[in-house]
Amino acid sequence: MYVVTELWRYPMKSMQGERVAATTIDAQGFVGDRGRAVVDAQTGKAASGSWAARRWADLVTWSAAYVAEPGGSDPIPEVRVTSPSGERFTVGGPDDDAMLSRHLGRDVRVAVGQQDDAMSGNHPPGTFWDVAPIHVLTTSTLASLAALAPGSAFDARRFRPNLVIDTGGDPGFPENDWLGSMLSIGSDVRLRITGDCPRCVMTTHAQADLPKDNGILQAAARSNASNVGVYAEVVRSGQVYVGDGVRVIREAEVSGAR
């Protein structure tokens, strides 16, 4: 059996996230994940690594953390953001747009969830995820990439996963073989793996203590068609904890149980 080794949520889309010991997963993914976003006032689009990556390259050098645990009566609490220079301020008040605009050097506003349709696509209210509610990454994939490019730091933070799963000594990219399968996590949660996760240039940008490194994306392109990790949808909600066991229910078993 595999084990959950890291849990990550991202209070502000495209900023660095926060590592947590436990979280609630509902139909939309991790509660509070990508609950807010910086929106370009000129284009009306939320800042995202999936488009205009060069324009928003600096945003990943910022970090964000909730001031209170999301959920219940306050599903999207205020967010404390930290600039690259170390300046901290709280996002959730009426003056946030002007403050962030000054710091980012462009006219922006802060959006909460899908309340103003800042993202294209049919995403649930209260989220800003691009393709799927959850991104899963394994330690085997990180180790395989590191072996191919030993001079690069293949830190999970570059790939912005929600779940990092310790797959022990499994070789290669084991999550590639999970497409269509179900992950049973702990006593409650069930996730269905829905597709590969193609990566973009945002993975190469400097953030926190990680330097800019074009070798990150080059290694993924050479070895795994630029895919790092997989996407998942929620089949059964519940609590998940670091240390939870993970069992892969193969596609044939899933089909047979219907």
Side-chain angles (χ1 to χ4, degrees), residues 4-25:
V4 174
T5 188
E6 296 179 29
L7 296 170
W8 290 89
R9 69 183 175 210
Y10 304 89
M12 186 77 76
K13 183 176 177 64
S14 295
M15 291 186 183
Q16 297 168 45
E18 54 183 352
R19 189 172 175 178
V20 296
T23 191
T24 300
I25 295 179

Side-chain angles (χ1 to χ4, degrees), residues 12 20 51 75 85 91 105 107 137 155 205 211 248:
M12 186 77 76
V20 296
W51 71 280
S85 64
V91 172
D107 190 11
L137 179 62
D155 190 294
H205 292 320
V248 180

